């Protein structure tokens, strides 16, 4: 088996392999040369812009593609810093090669390469958490799916108004609201212009997809929602929001106000929020008009460079902690890392031949440093061993943080 990044001449074959692996029709009629030309000259989105970032496994002839996956570069927020993240997607193996180590071999090649290229994190949306846990990924993308009855609240007194986005009219305002919403939440992507394909060239009258921007009384954009109609049984429908974000609570209330304009023939509005946002206090009437609140697990994260991430992390209090890490794919992450911190930041991160205060595999370290658990919950993590529970500095390293991600790849 040969594992490497694809060549230009193999770009179309990747699409064919994905179609065969997932059993959907490949409708691509362009030649490989035409696909390549368009990707180079007129890329549609980040995936086409980074079309070469695909790792594939071939038979020994180095020509017969067995499977592939793409690794798309992003920048994400982490504890107040902008860090390089590699998004994994399109993981495809032709049926005749399954259970032959195709994807395992791709990960064994691409993960060390990510380390050398300076990535801090990687992220993916799994078909199986057990499968990707083998490669150091762990669940860290909990979100809450809300289905709110439009009779559960009354119009909020915020004084603003909404504008229907058509063409490119609200593009800059949409970007500003997203940037404000993403600030302070780990794993939120730092978007560039081509990360907003749904916000440019809008034609809601034709596409039946509606994007509204809420503006305060002072004219400041504070909320964005994109929805389509989801027909339910009977007369009523739901506003199914694919995009729903806001810069502050007024922005949230402004979007909810706009939803009330549809009460004649819509019953609910559906959207996702981070788990730390308290919608119950905004929409308190649930006994008379119950609404659903469903916890959704939407992704798995992985630390690529332990030392880099420990140097960027935000800490509480002050102290020194020794963390033992094992990482089967990236040897540079194996060892005991000593971090000394004060005033919210690392003073030093060193590798030492010492006894750790806490030890774990790279998957558990990834979710803990991203912020899924605090110290009191570590008993539930069977792969984590605390050797010196008396060290008070441990709680300054591992604690819950706001986490959210909305970009797909």
């Amino acid at each position: 088996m040969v594992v490497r990044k694809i060549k230009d001449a193999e770009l179309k074959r990747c699409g064919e392999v994905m179609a065969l692996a997932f059993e959907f029709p490949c409708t691509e009629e362009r030649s490989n040369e035409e696909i390549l030309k368009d990707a180079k000259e007129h890329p549609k989105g980040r995936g086409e812009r980074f079309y070469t970032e695909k790792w594939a496994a071939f038979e020994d002839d180095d020509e017969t593609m067995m499977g592939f996956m793409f690794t798309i570069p992003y920048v994400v927020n982490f504890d107040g810093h902008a860090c390089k993240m590699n998004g994994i997607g399109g993981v495809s193996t032709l049926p005749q090669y399954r259970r032959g180590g195709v994807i395992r071999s791709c990960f064994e090649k691409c993960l060390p390469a990510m380390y050398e290229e300076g990535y801090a994190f990687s992220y993916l949306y799994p078909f199986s958490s057990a499968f990707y846990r083998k490669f150091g990924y762990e669940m860290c993308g909990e979100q809450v799916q809300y289905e709110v009855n439009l009779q559960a609240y009354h119009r909020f007194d915020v004084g603003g108004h909404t504008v229907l986005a058509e063409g490119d009219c609200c593009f800059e305002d949409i970007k500003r609201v997203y940037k404000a919403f993403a600030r302070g939440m780990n794993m939120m992507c730092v978007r560039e212009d081509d990360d907003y394909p749904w916000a440019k060239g809008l034609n809601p009258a034709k596409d039946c997809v509606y994007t509204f921007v809420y503006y305060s009384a002072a004219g400041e954009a504070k909320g964005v929602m994109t929805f389509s109609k989801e027909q339910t049984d009977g007369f009523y429908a739901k506003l199914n929001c694919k995009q729903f974000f806001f810069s502050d609570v007024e922005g949230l209330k402004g979007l909810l106000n706009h939803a009330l304009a549809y009460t004649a023939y819509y019953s609910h509005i559906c959207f996702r929020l981070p788990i730390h946002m308290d919608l119950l206090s905004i929409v308190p009437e649930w006994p008379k008009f119950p609404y659903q609140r469903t916890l959704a697990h939407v992704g798995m994260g992985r630390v690529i460079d332990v030392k880099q991430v420990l140097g960027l992390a935000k800490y509480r209090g002050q102290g020194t902690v020794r963390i033992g890490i094992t990482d089967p794919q990236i040897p540079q992450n194996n060892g005991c890392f000593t971090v000394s911190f004060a005033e919210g930041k690392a003073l030093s991160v060193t590798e030492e031949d010492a006894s750790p205060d806490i030890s774990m595999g790279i998957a558990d370290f990834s979710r803990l440093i991203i912020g899924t658990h605090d110290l009191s919950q570590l008993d539930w993590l069977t792969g984590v061993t605390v050797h010196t529970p008396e060290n008070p500095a441990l709680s300054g390293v591992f604690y819950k943080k706001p986490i959210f991600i909305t970009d797909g790849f």
Side-chain angles (χ1 to χ4, degrees):
M1 186 187 301
V2 177
V3 178
R4 56 170 172 78
K5 287 187 178 181
I6 67 164
K7 301 173 183 177
D8 283 0
E10 295 159 341
L11 183 56
K12 184 174 183 178
R13 183 56 179 166
C14 289
E16 294 169 344
V17 167
M18 186 186 297
L20 290 166
F22 290 99
E23 301 171 346
F24 63 81
C26 182
T27 58
E28 180 59 75
E29 296 181 353
R30 294 174 296 171
S31 67
N32 190 82
E33 290 73 22
E34 291 171 326
I35 296 171
L36 187 63
K37 184 175 185 293
D38 288 343
K40 288 181 176 180
E41 298 178 4
H42 307 288
K44 296 178 181 178
R46 187 178 291 265
E48 288 192 9
R49 181 150 57 95
F50 295 101
Y51 72 92
T52 59
E53 298 301 312
K54 295 177 175 66
W55 287 84
F58 301 83
E59 289 189 354
D60 292 341
D61 62 4
D62 197 18
E63 294 181 358
T64 305
M65 190 181 296
M66 306 162 71
F68 87 102
M69 60 191 218
F70 55 71
T71 56
I72 303 179
Y74 283 84
V75 173
V76 295
N77 294 332
F78 171 68
D79 285 6
H81 299 277
C83 304
K84 289 179 67 176
M85 183 273 283
N86 213 312
I88 305 294
V91 180
S92 310
T93 304
L94 291 174
Q96 62 267 36
Y97 298 112
R98 288 175 183 163
R99 301 186 184 278
V102 170
I103 299 304
R104 175 180 291 278
S105 298
C106 288
F107 272 111
E108 288 174 349
K109 284 282 189 177
C110 78
L111 288 171
M114 290 182 204
Y115 182 93
E116 295 299 330
E117 293 168 8
Y119 285 90
F121 296 97
S122 179
Y123 204 89
L124 53 81
Y125 299 99
F127 78 94
S128 163
S129 56
F131 179 79
Y132 288 107
R133 197 169 283 124
K134 300 173 186 177
F135 310 114
Y137 292 83
E138 191 48 87
M139 302 297 291
C140 64
E142 287 185 342
Q143 301 176 8
V144 179
Q145 173 72 45
Y146 287 96
E147 186 173 305
V148 180
N149 192 313
L150 295 178
Q151 297 185 68
Y153 63 96
H154 300 288
R155 185 173 180 84
F156 299 99
D157 185 17
V158 290
H161 67 283
T162 53
V163 172
L164 174 65
E166 298 182 85
D168 298 343
C169 71
C170 299
F171 185 62
E172 295 300 325
D173 287 335
I174 288 171
K175 290 194 300 180
R176 276 191 286 270
V177 176
Y178 173 83
K179 184 176 181 180
F181 179 73
R183 188 180 299 119
M185 288 193 285
N186 285 351
M187 299 295 104
M188 282 294 277
C189 293
V190 179
R191 289 179 176 173
E192 300 178 32
D193 281 5
D194 62 1
D195 294 317
Y196 297 87
W198 51 270
K200 297 187 73 175
L202 301 182
N203 189 349
K206 174 186 175 183
D207 301 329
C208 297
V209 178
Y210 311 96
T211 296
F212 284 89
V213 180
Y214 168 77
Y215 291 87
S216 69
E220 180 183 357
K222 291 196 171 191
V224 175
M225 61 187 290
T226 296
F227 71 90
S228 55
K229 184 177 184 179
E230 180 183 331
Q231 194 66 50
T232 59
D233 293 336
F235 176 78
Y236 287 101
K238 298 176 182 178
L239 292 91
N240 187 11
C241 298
K242 297 299 184 183
Q243 302 287 335
F244 192 87
F245 50 87
F246 40 86
S247 60
D248 58 19
V249 173
E250 180 188 344
L252 169 61
K253 291 179 177 179
L255 296 179
L256 292 175
N257 276 355
H258 181 73
L260 293 176
Y262 297 86
T263 53
Y265 44 96
Y266 281 77
S267 60
H268 293 75
I269 179 173
C270 307
F271 51 85
R272 287 188 175 186
L273 291 181
I275 60 174
H276 68 277
M277 291 188 176
D278 182 19
L279 188 68
L280 187 63
S281 296
I282 304 296
V283 184
E285 183 53 80
W286 60 267
K288 291 177 64 177
F289 304 103
Y291 57 86
Q292 294 184 13
R293 184 179 186 271
T294 306
L295 189 64
H297 299 273
V298 295
M300 300 179 78
R302 190 200 203 280
V303 168
I304 297 298
D305 186 332
V306 169
K307 191 171 184 179
Q308 178 187 167
V309 168
L310 285 173
L312 296 173
K314 184 180 294 184
Y315 299 92
R316 291 178 171 176
Q318 61 183 19
T320 297
V321 173
R322 295 176 175 84
I323 307 167
I325 304 290
T326 55
D327 185 341
Q329 285 82 31
I330 303 177
Q332 295 93 327
N333 289 335
N334 288 304
C336 183
F337 295 82
T338 300
V339 55
S340 296
F341 57 91
E343 298 181 352
K345 62 183 179 180
L347 303 177
S348 64
V349 180
T350 58
E351 297 177 59
E352 299 180 2
D353 183 13
S355 297
D357 296 304
I358 188 170
S359 57
M360 65 196 78
I362 188 64
D364 280 315
F365 174 75
S366 298
R367 64 178 167 184
L368 287 176
I369 202 67
I370 289 172
T372 60
H373 295 68
D374 61 35
L375 198 64
S376 66
Q377 299 171 301
L378 296 191
D379 288 345
W380 295 91
L381 306 184
T382 57
V384 177
T385 302
V386 179
H387 305 285
T388 58
E390 68 276 7
N391 184 350
L394 284 169
S395 61
V397 179
F398 303 116
Y399 57 93
K400 282 191 173 183
K401 306 171 185 177
I403 306 168
F404 202 50
I405 184 168
T406 57
D407 290 65
F409 35 82

